[in-house]
């Protein structure tokens, strides 16, 4: 029988890799995990967590303004960017430490090194130039920001990676992209008082989300002062005496202290040696895997963003867990990629689960849309002109709720709970028979009586 150095070698200690390592070790497997940067991966170190901390920071300016309507007279508020970055770094260091301890406590061996694949059962630790053999290899290397290679002056731009460590807050920023990272960072910078322009090649922000939310979000962020340029892309970035100058293809000339590109992320497969083992990649350079996260090479699996399925932390974690259960736990478990709730921590926030109206119309012959738009109670006194939008999509034949979309404060929190009801195949009648919780915004979800639109195919 062939002897391997370890049962499992994991490349990448991010969301997926760490979960897979801990669970596999728990089943008694000998596990080695290589990390080239910081344990915790994108989400903890330079993604979800620091991003959300920045979102909180950026909301205070409006809170101070809103307080006046409630009788407060706040003093003059000032903001110190370097204190925020330092506080965020302290928290990220704490989480990084917890991830390292949890991994080591599980029995997995952590190696601080880049790892590359040599063959289906061998990995090279670059830092030590050492070969390690493994019965299974798990590729959990995540993804990396993509910046168009032929953009003139691309080296002057930053990605989300650098945005977390800027030495000073610019006075003006150009954010390029229309996905959730671009929209969230535009909101962060705008909230912190930076004059913000968002440039997006498409006609509407946030592809993949419900059209009403996309349109309303744009209106709301424009009201807050973000300049949104759609149908336009960056042509060049150049250095000037005062900072940078971004030019767009439509002829806009935008002075800026920073230009942040958030036009997508690419799977981290470059230079990983996957070709040495014959692992197949798709057109986007993602590892092609089956429902059990197994590649075409039986000993090599991949989870998380490197497979470009649904690029979110909870999904990477679930995939890592299911992999360990399947390969080391004697249970064949695949991950259900349907009905995954999503949030955009824009201002106002978005929460979304299930089908968009467009998708529901493509799937069902009869769709009822229940939609409401209202001013949140808090803004009756604050005077802020901001709308909350809620939308339920119902398959009229079965009465099942097939989509829920919310734009407004705490939308993510609400949609996490609604996602459970959709998984349970709740009907509109179930929503209607649930007592309202008053006074909340969420009560609108159980009090929308009449459809705003009834779509009927062929009739
Ligand atoms: C700005 C931003 C905000 C985000 N916000 C959210 C959010 O709010 N909610 C959400 O669910 N998701 C969010 N995401 C997405 C989320 O971060 C990812 O989906 C998640 O981290 C993917 O986990 P992963 O395990 O696939 O990869 P990662 O967490 O990226 O981990 C991969 C690890 O592999 C390491 N690595 C790569 N190559 C090698 C190598 N050859 N050798 C050794 N180590 C290697 C990397 O250094 C990294 O630590 C955000 C992402 C970004 C960039």
């Amino acid at each position: 029988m062939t002897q391997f150095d370890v049962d499992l070698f994991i490349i990448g200690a991010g969301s997926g890799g760490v979960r897979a390592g801990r669970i596999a070790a728990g089943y008694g497997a000998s596990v080695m995990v290589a990390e080239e940067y910081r344990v915790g991966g994108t989400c903890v170190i330079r993604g979800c967590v620091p991003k959300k901390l920045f979102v909180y920071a950026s909301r205070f300016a409006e809170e101070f303004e809103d307080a006046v309507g409630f009788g407060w007279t706040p003093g003059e508020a000032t903001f110190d960017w370097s204190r925020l970055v330092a506080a965020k770094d302290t928290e990220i260091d704490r989480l990084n430490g917890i991830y390292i301890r949890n991994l080591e406590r599980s029995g997995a061996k952590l190696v601080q090194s880049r790892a590359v694949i040599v063959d289906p059962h061998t990995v090279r630790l670059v830092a030590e130039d050492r070969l390690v053999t493994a019965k299974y290899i798990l590729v959990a290397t995540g993804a990396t920001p993509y910046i168009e290679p032929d953009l003139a002056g691309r080296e002057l731009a930053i990605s989300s990676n650098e945005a977390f460590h800027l030495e000073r807050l610019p006075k003006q920023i150009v954010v390029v992209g229309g996905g959730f990272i671009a929209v969230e960072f535009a909101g962060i910078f705008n909230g912190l008082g930076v004059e913000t322009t968002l440039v997006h090649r498409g006609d509407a922000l946030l592809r993949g989300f419900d059209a009403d939310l996309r349109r309303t979000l744009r209106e709301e962020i424009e009201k807050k002062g973000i300049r949104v340029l759609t149908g336009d892309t960056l042509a060049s970035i150049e250095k000037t005496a005062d900072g940078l100058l971004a030019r767009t293809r439509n002829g806009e000339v935008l002075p800026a202290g920073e230009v942040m590109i958030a036009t997508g992320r690419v799977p981290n497969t470059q230079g990983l040696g996957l070709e040495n083992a014959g692992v197949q990649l798709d057109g986007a350079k993602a590892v092609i895997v089956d429902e059990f996260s197994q590649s075409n090479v039986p000993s090599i699996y991949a989870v998380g963003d490197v497979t470009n399925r649904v690029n979110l932390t909870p999904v990477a974690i679930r995939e890592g867990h299911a992999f360990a259960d399947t390969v080391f736990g004697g249970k064949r478990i695949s991950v259900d990629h349907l009905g995954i709730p999503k949030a955009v921590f824009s201002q106002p926030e978005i929460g979304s689960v299930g089908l968009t109206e467009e998708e529901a119309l493509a799937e069902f012959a009869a769709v009822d849309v229940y939609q409401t738009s209202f001013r949140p109670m808090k803004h009756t006194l604050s005077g802020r002109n901001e709308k909350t939008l809620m939308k339920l999509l119902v398959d009229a034949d079965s009465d099942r709720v097939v989509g829920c979309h919310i734009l407004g404060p705490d939308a993510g929190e609400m949609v996490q709970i609604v996602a459970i009801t959709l998984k349970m195949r709740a009907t509109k009648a179930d929503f209607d028979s649930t007592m309202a919780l008053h006074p909340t915004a969420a009560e609108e979800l159980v009090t929308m009586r009449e459809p705003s639109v009834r779509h009927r195919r062929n009739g």
Side-chain angles (χ1 to χ4, degrees), residues 11-17 34-38 40-43 46-48 51 113-116 140-143 160 164 180-181 184-185 265 268 272 303-306 311-314 316 345:
I11 310 180
S15 306
E35 171 54 53
E36 68 176 351
Y37 182 56
R38 294 189 72 188
T42 303
C43 180
R46 46 192 180 183
C48 339
K51 180 268 308 275
S113 171
R114 179 169 174 77
V116 292
T141 51
S160 58
F164 291 114
F180 80 94
I181 295 175
E184 289 175 342
F185 270 92
R265 294 172 59 80
N268 259 330
L272 200 56
V303 294
D305 285 9
V306 75
N311 298 332
L312 292 170
T313 290
F345 297 100

Side-chain angles (χ1 to χ4, degrees), residues 9 41 46 106 114 189 219 298 305 379 401 416 458:
F9 192 102
R46 46 192 180 183
S106 75
R114 179 169 174 77
F189 286 119
E219 288 166 13
D305 285 9
H379 297 326
V401 178
Q416 173 68 86
N458 311 321

Side-chain angles (χ1 to χ4, degrees), residues 56-255:
Y56 285 128
S58 68
R59 285 179 183 162
F60 284 102
E62 283 196 351
E63 291 287 328
F64 299 143
E65 283 173 15
D66 291 350
V68 176
F70 293 85
W72 289 86
T73 308
E76 200 198 328
T78 58
F79 170 69
D80 184 340
W81 168 255
S82 47
R83 265 208 294 138
L84 171 66
V85 172
K88 178 266 295 175
D89 285 344
T90 304
E91 173 58 7
I92 300 310
D93 289 348
R94 187 183 74 84
L95 293 174
N96 173 240
I98 291 175
Y99 267 73
I100 293 173
R101 279 196 298 283
N102 284 346
L103 199 52
E104 290 179 339
R105 225 178 266 153
S106 75
K109 169 130 182 61
L110 179 62
V111 187
Q112 188 67 48
S113 171
R114 179 169 174 77
V116 292
I117 294 173
V118 177
D119 67 37
H121 291 285
T122 312
V123 167
R124 186 163 69 86
L125 289 170
V126 176
E128 306 169 18
D129 198 14
R130 172 160 72 97
L131 296 181
V132 179
T133 60
K135 187 167 181 199
Y136 295 102
I137 296 170
L138 179 67
V139 181
T141 51
T144 200
Y146 172 78
I147 300 186
E148 244 175 73
D150 46 359
L151 171 68
R154 71 193 288 278
E155 68 287 351
L156 300 169
I158 58 165
S159 71
S160 58
N161 287 350
E162 292 75 36
F164 291 114
H165 294 285
L166 290 179
E167 270 180 33
R168 61 190 77 80
L169 199 58
K171 287 202 171 54
Q172 295 164 306
I173 193 160
V174 175
V175 180
V176 187
F180 80 94
I181 295 175
V183 169
E184 289 175 342
F185 270 92
I188 290 169
F189 286 119
N190 183 60
L192 295 177
V194 181
E195 198 184 309
T196 304
T197 306
L198 184 59
V199 182
H200 175 46
R201 106 179 32 227
D203 292 335
L205 304 170
L206 296 175
R207 188 158 55 91
F209 283 84
D210 189 86
D212 284 316
L213 256 65
R214 299 172 74 184
R215 201 187 45 253
T216 313
L217 179 80
R218 178 183 180 153
E219 288 166 13
E220 292 298 329
I221 67 174
E222 285 183 328
K223 273 197 244 164
K224 289 182 195 293
I226 298 177
R227 187 168 175 227
V228 182
L229 305 175
T230 45
D232 200 358
T233 55
L234 221 55
S236 66
I237 310 168
E238 52 198 87
K239 223 175 165 54
T240 64
D242 319 316
L244 301 173
L245 201 64
R247 293 179 195 276
T248 73
R249 298 222 182 270
N250 290 352
E252 294 279 346
V253 181
L254 307 166

